[in-house]
Amino acid sequence: MREANCIFCRIANGEVPSKTLHEDDNFRVILDLGPATRGHALILPKEHYADLYDLPEELAGEAMKLAKKMVTKMTDRLGCEGFNLIQNNGDMAGQTVFHFHMHMIPRYQADGQKIGWKPGEPTQDELEVIKNTIVG
Ligand code: 5GP
Ligand code: ZN
C-alpha cells in the first residue's frame, strides 16, 4: 500500500525527486534534507509502513542488511570514522514522518553532534523487575 499524502511514499516511489544513493525493488536510500552530519541518509521502504511495529519482519531484516551495505560503502567514500543507526517509532520517540525509515548518520571527529542519553542508575532489584515485566 502507498499513501497519497505521505511524503516518503512519494519520494520512495520517485514521484518527488530526491538525492538517491540506492534503489531496489523494496527500498530507496536518500540523503536527509536536514542532515545531522555530512552524508546523513535514510532507508525508506517503497510500500507504506508507519513504523517498526507495522513493518513486516522480512523487510525489517532486509532493511538491516541494506544498512550494513550502505554503511560500509559510505564509510569508504566519505571517510567517516563511525556511524549511528537511529530508527524512531512514535511521537514520543521523536518520529516526525510516519513512514518507516532508518537514519544512517556518519560520524566524524568534531562533527559537533551529540547523540545519546543520560544514563540511569537502576538497582539490580529494579533491573530484575523490568526483566520479569518483559520476559516473565
Ligand atoms: P524522524 O524524526 O521521523 O525520525 O526523521 C524524519 C527525517 O526526515 C528528518 O531527519 C528530516 O530531516 C527528514 N525529512 C523530512 N522531510 C524530508 C523530505 O522531504 N526529504 C528528505 N530527503 N528528508 C526529509
Ligand atoms: Zn508512506
Side-chain angles (χ1 to χ4, degrees):
M1 281 289 280
R2 290 163 195 180
E3 295 207 348
N5 293 327
C6 171
I7 182 64
F8 281 1
C9 277
R10 300 182 68 206
I11 291 173
N13 293 288
E15 283 170 46
V16 168
S18 63
K19 299 295 184 198
T20 293
L21 306 180
H22 168 90
E23 184 182 2
D24 61 38
D25 288 349
N26 294 323
F27 296 99
R28 184 184 293 266
V29 180
I30 63 168
L31 288 180
D32 194 299
L33 276 187
T37 65
R38 179 172 177 266
H40 179 168
L42 302 171
I43 296 178
L44 313 179
K46 289 189 171 177
E47 298 292 319
H48 182 88
Y49 301 104
D51 50 30
L52 187 63
Y53 303 108
D54 202 21
L55 189 71
E57 209 170 285
E58 194 180 315
L59 276 186
E62 291 302 315
M64 187 52 85
K65 283 190 202 165
L66 181 53
K68 178 173 169 60
K69 279 192 194 136
M70 293 305 303
V71 162
T72 302
K73 178 169 187 177
M74 290 165 77
T75 298
D76 179 44
R77 297 294 178 89
L78 294 169
C80 58
E81 290 163 75
F83 250 94
N84 291 112
L85 291 186
I86 297 179
Q87 201 278 303
N88 299 325
N89 297 282
D91 249 342
M92 190 51 60
Q95 186 176 8
T96 59
V97 180
F98 293 87
H99 174 126
F100 174 93
H101 51 282
M102 189 174 322
H103 295 263
M104 297 182 290
I105 304 178
R107 301 307 303 272
Y108 307 88
Q109 277 284 337
D111 62 24
Q113 293 292 351
K114 189 169 189 310
I115 296 167
W117 55 87
K118 180 170 159 274
E121 294 177 350
T123 63
Q124 284 299 314
D125 284 350
E126 286 166 338
L127 290 175
E128 181 70 15
V129 170
I130 296 164
K131 185 201 81 176
N132 291 335
T133 302
I134 297 168
V135 302

